[in-house]
Amino acid sequence: MAFGSHVPTVGVDDLTSGDFLLDVREDDEWQAGHAAGALHIPMSEFVSRYGELTEAAPQDGKVHVICRVGGRSAQVAMYLVQQGVDAVNVDGGMQSWEAAGRPVVDDKGQPGVVI
């Protein structure tokens, strides 16, 4: 399923360990399992917490936005692009991340699962 074909998109296999990752899933999803090192700002709180992203994101780097399958992250990526941020949607989201064998940790740093 493709979300927002006009949204810049990158596949999980194209990501490197140094890429900046923004996870926009809700708290329960994050707590169950996420990519270590990702910044977590739920989509439902994104506009009010936008400053956290601008403080954490690399000044001249790309923001890779991820959710469960790609719908919410596509919306946030498009919003960021409209704000002049170099942002891309991670195709397939955390489901693709997990399926590719990338590590998933819970909120305690232990092995997690994508819900």
Side-chain angles (χ1 to χ4, degrees):
M1 181 178 295
F3 294 99
S5 58
H6 56 286
V7 176
T9 302
V10 66
V12 168
D13 292 339
D14 296 323
L15 296 174
T16 67
S17 60
D19 287 335
F20 184 84
L21 195 62
L22 169 65
D23 190 322
V24 297
R25 295 174 303 142
E26 295 304 315
D27 288 336
D28 61 329
E29 296 171 286
W30 170 264
Q31 291 166 2
H34 59 271
L39 174 65
H40 177 231
I41 304 176
M43 182 177 168
S44 62
E45 302 171 14
F46 189 75
V47 174
S48 65
R49 294 177 58 188
Y50 182 75
E52 292 177 42
L53 173 67
T54 59
E55 289 179 17
Q59 292 298 318
D60 295 323
K62 190 177 298 286
V63 175
H64 299 82
V65 189
I66 197 166
C67 66
R68 184 170 185 259
V69 295
R72 290 171 284 178
S73 54
Q75 293 176 56
V76 172
M78 182 53 72
Y79 173 80
L80 290 172
V81 167
Q82 291 170 347
Q83 304 309 307
V85 175
D86 185 6
V88 294
N89 183 38
V90 178
D91 190 36
M94 285 300 297
Q95 285 187 334
S96 290
W97 179 276
E98 186 176 50
R102 300 266 181 137
V104 177
V105 297
D106 67 13
D107 61 340
K108 295 174 181 56
Q110 300 300 311
V113 295
V114 174
I115 60 168

